[in-house]
Amino acid sequence: MNGETPAPKKRNWLYIIAGVLLVMGMLSVGCVVGTFLLFRQAFEVTQTSEQSALQQMDEIRNRFPGQQPLIQLVDGKPQLVERAAAATPSQPLKTLHVMAFDSDEENLVNFSLPFWLIRMKSGPIRISAYQQGWDDRGLSFDVEEIEKAGPGIIADITREREGRVVIWAE
C-alpha cells in the first residue's frame, strides 16, 4: 500500500449518451426537412381559368376511356363501387395524383404522392365531410382495393360553384 489514491473512473457513458442524443436529433431534423421537401416538390398551385382547368381534368379522364371512378357520389354520399381490373398490372402502382380546381379563387392544385407512402398507412382510409352532410363514418376502404383495381380514376367529383377534384393512380 503506497498511499496512492486510485484514479477516478472515467465517465464514458455520459459521452455515449450525449453522442446518441445528438445523432437522434440530427436524424429527426433530417426527417422533418426531407418530409417538407417531399411535399413541397409534390405540391403545385397555379392560377388558371376554369375552362383551362376543366380541359386538363378531361385530359386525365381521357387517359382511362370508359372507366368509372372507384369512388362515386350516390345521393350526395361517397360510395366505393366495384370496378373490374383491366388485367393484372405488370407493375405496382407508383403514384397517387390529385388535381383540384377552386372556382372561387381560380386556383388549380396538383398534388402527387408516391404510392409506397400510401401503402405505409395501417388500417383503412376514411373519407368523410361533416360540412357536406356525410355522416361521421363516411366511406372507408383499404389501399389494397385501389391496387386491385389497378391504374385509373379513383374519384371525379364536381360541385357547382365550388370546383372539381380528380384523383387517379398510375
Side-chain angles (χ1 to χ4, degrees), residues 39-99:
F39 282 104
R40 183 175 174 165
Q41 181 182 8
F43 195 81
E44 178 187 349
V45 179
T46 55
Q47 195 89 26
T48 187
S49 69
E50 184 170 3
Q51 181 181 2
S52 174
L54 296 178
Q55 181 181 359
Q56 289 180 46
M57 292 178 171
D58 288 338
E59 288 172 7
I60 299 299
R61 285 300 305 259
N62 292 337
R63 288 189 206 170
F64 308 100
Q67 188 183 75
Q68 294 297 314
L70 279 176
I71 299 171
Q72 296 179 12
L73 290 181
V74 178
D75 296 328
K77 296 185 183 205
Q79 290 191 359
L80 190 68
V81 295
E82 281 291 317
R83 179 173 77 196
T88 306
S90 58
Q91 296 179 355
L93 297 176
K94 293 182 181 176
T95 310
L96 179 77
H97 301 277
V98 177
M99 184 181 286

Side-chain angles (χ1 to χ4, degrees), residues 95-96 113-122 125 143 146:
T95 310
L96 179 77
L113 276 176
F115 219 84
W116 61 264
L117 189 62
I118 296 166
R119 284 185 192 100
M120 291 176 66
K121 176 165 181 4
S122 62
I125 297 171
V143 174
I146 296 173

Side-chain angles (χ1 to χ4, degrees), residues 71-74 76-80 124-141:
I71 299 171
Q72 296 179 12
L73 290 181
V74 178
K77 296 185 183 205
Q79 290 191 359
L80 190 68
I125 297 171
R126 288 189 174 84
I127 298 175
S128 64
Y130 181 75
Q131 180 181 10
Q132 302 299 330
W134 304 342
D135 65 354
D136 291 337
R137 291 178 306 188
L139 169 71
S140 65
F141 56 94

